Amino acid sequence: MTANALLHALVPLVDDLARDLAEGERYRRLLEAVRTLVPCDAAALLRLDGEWLVPLAVDGLSSDTLGRRFKVDEHPRFQLLLQSDGPTRFPAGSRLPDPYDGLVEGMEGEQLEVHDCLGCVLRVGERPWGLLTLDALEAGRFSAHDLDALQAFASLAAATVSVADRLQQLASRASDEHQRAEIYRAAAAEAAPRPLLGHSAVIRRLLDEVRAVGASDLTVLVTGETGVGKELVAQALHAASPRAARPLVSINCAALPEALVESELFGHVKGAFSGAVGDRRGKFELADGGTLLLDEVGELPLPVQAKLLRVLQSGQLQRLGSDREHHVDVRLIAATNRDLAEEVRKGRFRADLYHRLSVYPLRVPPLRERGRDVLLLSGAFLDENRSRLGLRNLRLSAEAQAALLAYDWPGNVRELEHLISRSALKALSRQAKRPAILTLTVADLGLEERHAAQPARAHDDPAAAARVSAQPLKQAVEDYQRSLIAAALRRHGDNWSAAARELGVDRANLARLAARLGLRPAASES
């Protein structure tokens, strides 16, 4: 490592410290700088969140890596890095399993035979903030000089992540952040609520709205198709509110017999009906001081709608069979996959209740509008199934990733979750010998050709759509990959680096894929 090489990598980062950059862009430039200083095949920045390491940025690893969460005590390499004072190298002969095996882009094999790894802990103050890792597929790629280079780079990298952290803290209330962290840590060992994952523009806008309205006490109406994650939005709203330390109580209005809805919502007293052997508090009283989620609120019977409206207007309720009034202080969130305005026009939903519920409407976008978020979410579901099935890693082939991107997802995120779980079990059952790393293929996913070819409809050319749907699935996927790459190159004036960034892949891997698809010769990939 020369002084000039070090300056070439560090000067842009110093300049970035004073610039107003989006968090993701700041982290991307950090990884770009470290790969300039220490050439490697993949790099990653991971933040320590309790007992988990959460990837914030990756370069050269598959896109679904960003959806994964690595439990520290399951990964001895990460444990050693966090305990070390300086950079650590894991040579190719290390017996410790590598968390990234099977995740390096362009490697379709089940196992990486050679590997050379570097990593170091990043500290903010005296506390470990996270890790910076570098991976090479060639044994012996790294040297003592690279350890020195990474040591020199680590302090500035820590300053970069510290700046990003402080900017994020200024963007949201510190008290709300503290409440969310406390709730997460308390529930992490059990079944912590899933975060809202996504990098797409529509999800970023949704998260901005959640933060804005979450801090208020406004009633929110969350709408969206079945399976989009409306309950996760409700959890995020509650976590962002001053009520976060109080309970979030939910009730599925569609799952209850009509005769029990009123009792479930408002409670009952002994003798109110046959089987009422004692007094019972309803969901409103259980949520007092906190938040009540009315899921599938469009299914409420009209008589119950009238009583719900009264509670919302006055904060007073009566248990079924009682004349006594109870005052409750509840923040209400309602969720539905119905068009409530249309239900009002058809006389199936009260107009006054609709207007009371939709003080702040939030639409959760369907998965088909979220672009590459499907791979991010896939990474999270793959990691859950990896742990459940006892595998070292569970990944998607490049063709399987393309098929997921091409599918229309009528069942949205829930359909994706079930598909990954089902496909993992099917793929594992077909293995003669239990593998350490399992790759899911297009055949494992079992998506129908007509769904995989859905993007062809965007061209409004029925004849073209018919031609695509008549193709074998592999050919349809390759045609889709080819069109995506060609379109990105046109948008960026044949700038391969810019096209690779847009598509979320490493430049060299994009060039190799393009050559295989006949877009340009392999010899020109450098």
Side-chain angles (χ1 to χ4, degrees), residues 213-233:
V213 71
S216 74
D217 247 1
L218 294 180
T219 300
V220 179
L221 178 62
V222 183
T223 62
E225 298 175 9
T226 298
V228 293
K230 296 186 289 293
E231 187 172 359
L232 291 184
V233 172

Side-chain angles (χ1 to χ4, degrees), residues 121-129:
V121 63
L122 300 183
R123 299 183 182 276
V124 175
E126 297 299 318
R127 303 183 64 182
W129 177 92

Side-chain angles (χ1 to χ4, degrees), residues 40-61:
C40 58
D41 294 301
L45 177 69
L46 306 99
R47 185 187 66 216
L48 184 62
D49 189 357
E51 58 183 331
W52 302 86
L53 280 165
V54 182
L56 298 184
V58 298
D59 195 355
L61 297 175

Side-chain angles (χ1 to χ4, degrees), residues 38 92 144 205 225 316 443 447 459 481 504:
V38 183
R205 285 195 296 270
E225 298 175 9
Q316 302 286 336
L447 298 174
H459 300 294
Q481 290 177 313

Side-chain angles (χ1 to χ4, degrees), residues 312-355:
L312 297 181
Q313 290 171 332
S314 67
Q316 302 286 336
L317 63 83
Q318 291 179 340
R319 293 179 184 174
L320 192 62
S322 171
D323 293 328
R324 181 185 172 190
E325 289 196 334
H326 297 264
H327 178 79
V328 289
D329 172 24
V330 171
R331 197 265 182 92
L332 191 70
I333 299 173
T336 182
N337 60 4
R338 289 180 178 266
D339 182 347
L340 288 190
E342 180 63 22
E343 295 296 295
V344 169
R345 285 190 288 272
K346 293 181 177 178
R348 294 196 289 255
F349 203 85
R350 293 179 61 106
D352 44 8
L353 179 59
Y354 168 66
H355 293 300

Side-chain angles (χ1 to χ4, degrees), residues 196 203 206 222-225 228-230 233 362-366 370:
L196 279 166
I203 285 297
L206 176 63
V222 183
T223 62
E225 298 175 9
V228 293
K230 296 186 289 293
V233 172
L362 275 181
R363 174 182 177 269
V364 185
R370 295 177 54 179

Side-chain angles (χ1 to χ4, degrees), residues 191-426:
R194 284 177 177 159
L196 279 166
L197 293 176
H199 290 165
S200 60
V202 289
I203 285 297
R204 290 201 302 269
R205 285 195 296 270
L206 176 63
L207 290 171
D208 287 342
E209 287 199 272
V210 166
R211 283 190 287 266
V213 71
S216 74
D217 247 1
L218 294 180
T219 300
V220 179
L221 178 62
V222 183
T223 62
E225 298 175 9
T226 298
V228 293
K230 296 186 289 293
E231 187 172 359
L232 291 184
V233 172
Q235 292 170 354
L237 286 166
H238 176 69
S241 76
R243 300 172 180 263
R246 302 290 296 169
L248 167 63
V249 178
S250 64
I251 179 171
N252 187 335
C253 302
L256 294 171
E258 184 173 339
L260 294 180
V261 174
E262 188 174 347
S263 172
E264 284 294 318
L265 284 174
F266 311 121
H268 63 255
V269 296
K270 182 179 180 179
F273 52 85
S274 178
V277 295
D279 291 358
R280 185 173 183 271
R281 292 194 299 168
K283 292 294 193 289
F284 266 97
E285 288 185 75
L286 292 173
D288 192 21
T291 304
L292 176 63
L293 168 62
L294 296 180
D295 200 8
E296 303 299 347
V297 70
E299 309 300 323
L300 282 176
L302 282 168
V304 178
Q305 291 179 30
K307 295 186 178 182
L308 175 60
L309 179 64
R310 178 176 178 272
V311 175
L312 297 181
Q313 290 171 332
S314 67
Q316 302 286 336
L317 63 83
Q318 291 179 340
R319 293 179 184 174
L320 192 62
S322 171
D323 293 328
R324 181 185 172 190
E325 289 196 334
H326 297 264
H327 178 79
V328 289
D329 172 24
V330 171
R331 197 265 182 92
L332 191 70
I333 299 173
T336 182
N337 60 4
R338 289 180 178 266
D339 182 347
L340 288 190
E342 180 63 22
E343 295 296 295
V344 169
R345 285 190 288 272
K346 293 181 177 178
R348 294 196 289 255
F349 203 85
R350 293 179 61 106
D352 44 8
L353 179 59
Y354 168 66
H355 293 300
R356 178 69 67 167
L357 293 176
S358 60
V359 176
Y360 198 106
L362 275 181
R363 174 182 177 269
V364 185
L367 188 53
R368 62 181 172 274
E369 295 179 9
R370 295 177 54 179
R372 296 182 66 82
D373 279 357
V374 66
L375 298 183
L376 192 72
L377 293 162
S378 296
F381 298 143
L382 287 164
D383 208 46
E384 288 178 5
N385 283 277
R386 174 204 63 78
S387 179
R388 191 180 300 131
L389 297 175
L391 300 170
R392 187 193 301 174
N393 227 321
L394 181 63
R395 65 191 299 272
L396 295 165
S397 70
E399 288 78 12
Q401 291 187 35
L404 293 179
L405 288 168
Y407 185 58
D408 202 35
W409 298 111
N412 294 293
V413 180
R414 186 179 300 132
E415 182 184 6
L416 172 63
E417 179 182 7
H418 294 167
L419 175 71
I420 295 294
S421 298
R422 182 170 63 249
S423 301
L425 282 173
K426 285 165 56 180

